[in-house]
Amino acid sequence: MRIEARGFTFDVRVGGPEGGTPVLLLHGFPQHGGEFDDVVPALHAAGLRTYAPDQRGYSPGARPEAVEAYRLPELVADAVGLLDALGVDAAHLVGHDWGAVVAWAVAAHHPERVRTLTAVSVPHPAAMAWALTEDAGQKARSAYMTVFRKPGTAEKALLVLGATGLRRMLHGVGDDARVAAYADPMREPGALTAALNWYRAMSRRDLAAIGPVAVPTTYVWSGRDIAIGRTAAEACAEHVTADYRFVELPRVSHWIPDEAPAALAEAILARVHDPV
């Protein structure tokens, strides 16, 4: 379905029983709300109503041109605006990759709108900032962001030869059809630039503004994540003041919703059904 919020039109995948407890699922780069397709059936069976939007830049109707339009406060306001448009006072919140960054910020700044938080792959930004200072391994893992922040350079590297670079980056999400489901939309005019603008608009000031999270939280990290190392993952606990659980999936890559949907659904449901 399409939902109007903040002057934009967002494409949103909706499922589960009407009247079910709402769950807002926020995707990462370079994917879309469909990354949760194999996760939501278990949530629906448990009586939950799921909403998985294609976020700013990913929905064609929500694709402003200015880099500044992709600053974190705007992304957070989109998530809250979608809840408002849906008539949802508070939802269980799930975010993967960049969606996790948005979810951390929503939980920190709007705790009254969040029943529980399940953050996937990316830890609290303060934990990441600390790891980038203290851990050489995390610095190396995050070096790709320097390229992503260069206009034109990243687009060329990822889209050349039929988006070979983008497809290689998505290795781990599944078969060729699943890779294409994410890569092909990024080949539409302006789509990849909009998605990369999340990185280009990123600022230390916005990330530093995300304080401790005071809602029941589960952080799911995978041992084979090439982007997030153990130092950042284990530092995450210091930035949650409510009940906190750390779920490690040892033999899974960064693409947790695609590669381990059953394990992720189990972690989400454990958090939803036993928040404290």
Side-chain angles (χ1 to χ4, degrees):
M1 67 183 296
R2 289 178 176 168
I3 296 177
E4 303 290 330
R6 306 189 69 226
F8 296 110
T9 302
F10 293 88
D11 298 324
V12 183
R13 293 165 176 78
V14 180
E18 292 188 16
T21 303
V23 180
L24 182 65
L25 301 130
L26 302 177
H27 67 84
F29 175 87
Q31 300 177 278
H32 48 61
E35 74 165 279
F36 296 104
D37 282 355
D38 290 344
V39 178
V40 294
L43 307 188
H44 298 163
L48 301 174
R49 179 79 163 170
T50 61
Y51 301 93
D54 293 351
Q55 297 187 81
R56 177 176 293 231
Y58 295 83
S59 287
R63 190 172 288 164
E65 292 186 6
V67 171
E68 294 77 11
Y70 295 85
R71 287 184 58 210
L72 184 58
E74 296 293 339
L75 309 175
V76 170
D78 287 346
V80 174
L82 284 168
L83 293 178
D84 290 341
L86 290 165
V88 172
D89 291 332
H92 296 287
L93 188 56
V94 179
H96 172 242
D97 187 77
W98 257 110
V101 178
V102 177
W104 284 114
V106 172
H109 297 303
H110 303 278
E112 75 284 356
R113 308 303 298 269
V114 181
R115 296 172 183 245
T116 68
L117 168 64
T118 302
V120 188
S121 296
V122 175
H124 190 287
M128 271 294 293
W130 177 82
L132 283 168
T133 301
E134 301 296 328
D135 181 28
Q138 187 57 59
K139 290 181 182 178
R141 291 172 185 266
S142 299
Y144 70 93
M145 292 187 189
T146 300
V147 177
F148 280 10
R149 287 168 64 87
K150 294 180 179 179
T153 301
E155 286 89 339
K156 182 177 180 179
L158 293 173
L159 293 179
V160 69
L161 299 176
T164 297
L166 190 61
R167 294 175 193 278
R168 286 176 178 169
M169 191 187 79
L170 286 162
H171 176 74
V173 302
D175 60 18
D176 290 345
R178 200 170 190 96
V179 170
Y182 299 132
D184 289 349
M186 290 290 97
R187 300 177 69 187
E188 295 297 322
L192 181 59
T193 294
L196 288 166
N197 279 343
W198 287 49
Y199 292 92
R200 293 163 185 168
M202 179 175 59
S203 74
R204 292 184 179 180
R205 179 184 62 185
D206 290 341
L207 294 175
I210 304 175
V213 168
V215 303
T217 298
T218 293
Y219 171 50
V220 183
W221 175 73
S222 46
R224 293 181 179 174
D225 193 321
I226 63 170
I228 308 295
R230 183 173 296 277
T231 299
E234 293 186 347
C236 188
E238 300 174 17
H239 304 280
V240 181
T241 61
D243 185 73
Y244 175 77
R245 299 168 196 164
F246 176 44
V247 175
E248 179 178 346
L249 306 178
R251 293 175 294 279
V252 179
S253 74
H254 177 77
W255 312 105
I256 293 175
D258 298 276
E259 190 176 349
L264 178 55
E266 182 180 358
I268 295 168
L269 291 173
R271 173 49 70 193
V272 166
H273 292 150
D274 184 18
V276 295

